[in-house]
Amino acid sequence: MTTSESPTAVGSGTAATDKFLQERVSADTPPERVSAIAKDVLEALAGVIDKHGITYPEYRVLKQWLIDIGQFGEWPLWLDVFLEHNVEEVAYRGQHGTKGSIEGPYYVADAKTLPAKCELPMRDNEVGSKLVFEGQVRDLDGNGLDGATVELWHADDEGYYSHFAPHIPDGNLRGTIVADGEGRFEITTIQPAPYQIPTDGPTGWFIEKAGWHPWRPAHLHLMVKAPGKRTITTQLYFKDGEWIENDVATATKPELILDPKPGADGINRVTYDFVLDPA
Ligand code: MBD
Ligand code: FE
């Protein structure tokens, strides 16, 4: 691997920021609500400054770090690691189906469409143990859903994501699986590795200065859709996996843990069914 092909914090950060900027997001927040939220945020920060007796050197370091986060393109990373789980909990209040989890910074829309029984796009020599992931998309009454899609994206055996690491081909380990008429799917992929927040950028420095660890447990990302149903964005983890009890992004849930077992062919297999609420 040449230096220019090595993943760097600024490289993945910039790619995540560029991807996010293409979405041109908006929210219909009225001025009274903006005012109420902004007031509470400022009051919370005032409380922290007062409580800890924040000094001028500390204030200037904060300013520098906020500028660095922007220049490294790491706002998507930092926000999704430290705040998104709170927003996700609010968004899924009162929902009955499969638990959600955070989307994170590395989703890419319009991944290749694949049939219900498929292999995720991967390199000829893709490293990692094979994993067969199968299941069914159902409604709250247990009926299989026609027209369901399962978008799956995950890191490779080194913890890197395609589109956000320069040495991986676009589309690698990403797919939009069209489930069959009863919502069933069977996807062959590889076991992802845990993900490490880049240590050569401001999110990594922040974690290091606080004496925390930069790891997320190995995970699969999923976005599951069906006509007339509420889309769920979630993640699935692996039983007894490293960092499962102390995810830096606080995004694990007991209901979202897989326990693959080798089948008769020796290949690891696991079943997980998704339940969607009405839209
Ligand atoms: C990831 O792979 C991820 O899933 C999240 C939420 C944040 C950073 C990297
Ligand atoms: Fe991830």
Side-chain angles (χ1 to χ4, degrees):
M1 197 192 294
T2 66
T3 317
S4 66
E5 290 173 326
S6 302
T8 59
V10 69
S12 62
T14 302
T17 292
D18 289 349
K19 187 215 69 164
F20 184 78
L21 287 175
Q22 284 172 19
E23 290 176 36
R24 300 316 319 170
V25 296
S26 62
D28 292 323
T29 310
E32 305 75 46
R33 181 169 157 85
V34 173
S35 174
I37 294 168
K39 186 166 167 280
D40 281 358
V41 169
L42 293 171
E43 262 177 34
L45 290 172
V48 172
I49 292 167
D50 182 65
K51 176 178 171 188
H52 295 278
I54 299 299
T55 65
Y56 258 104
E58 287 167 343
Y59 173 69
R60 292 193 192 102
V61 166
L62 171 67
K63 214 186 231 183
Q64 177 66 252
W65 177 81
L66 290 167
I67 293 166
D68 288 344
I69 285 270
Q71 291 194 330
F72 276 70
E74 283 196 348
W75 277 119
L77 178 67
W78 193 90
L79 289 166
D80 293 351
V81 167
F82 293 107
L83 290 189
E84 191 187 352
H85 69 101
N86 297 300
V87 179
E88 185 275 319
E89 274 156 34
V90 171
Y92 280 75
R93 274 180 194 161
Q95 186 243 21
H96 301 283
T98 302
K99 299 277 181 195
S101 185
I102 62 180
E103 177 179 316
Y106 302 141
Y107 170 71
V108 176
D110 304 319
K112 189 177 176 195
T113 300
L114 301 165
K117 183 170 171 147
C118 65
E119 182 172 281
L120 272 198
M122 61 178 81
R123 291 163 283 190
D124 290 340
N125 52 352
E126 192 73 42
V127 179
S129 19
K130 277 236 173 333
L131 174 69
V132 178
F133 171 61
E134 62 185 326
Q136 187 182 26
V137 184
R138 299 201 275 251
D139 66 14
L140 291 177
D141 300 320
N143 306 303
L145 291 171
D146 190 13
T149 57
V150 175
E151 288 179 74
L152 172 63
W153 72 102
H154 64 81
D156 71 3
D157 183 65
E158 294 185 314
Y160 293 117
Y161 286 84
S162 61
H163 300 255
F164 302 93
H167 64 293
I168 303 179
D170 280 359
N172 206 245
L173 301 176
R174 295 174 183 274
T176 301
I177 296 90
V178 180
D180 72 12
E182 296 182 328
R184 293 184 199 278
F185 58 88
E186 185 192 295
I187 308 159
T188 299
T189 185
I190 56 113
Q191 169 72 39
Y195 172 86
Q196 184 179 26
I197 307 284
T199 53
D200 58 336
T203 303
W205 305 333
F206 166 87
I207 291 167
E208 193 204 316
K209 291 290 180 188
W212 303 341
H213 80 255
W215 292 94
R216 297 211 61 222
H219 55 279
L220 304 176
H221 287 273
L222 297 128
M223 203 177 283
V224 183
K225 302 177 183 176
K229 299 291 177 269
R230 188 174 162 170
T231 296
I232 59 162
T233 300
T234 193
Q235 300 188 32
L236 293 170
Y237 303 90
F238 299 90
K239 189 166 183 276
D240 301 328
E242 210 177 356
W243 314 110
I244 201 114
E245 299 297 337
N246 52 182
D247 178 8
V248 65
T250 328
T252 60
K253 296 182 184 178
E255 299 87 349
L256 299 176
I257 296 179
L258 301 174
D259 188 13
K261 299 271 195 249
D265 53 5
I267 294 173
N268 276 153
R269 269 190 172 262
V270 69
T271 300
Y272 195 90
D273 298 327
F274 296 97
V275 178
L276 303 190
D277 282 62

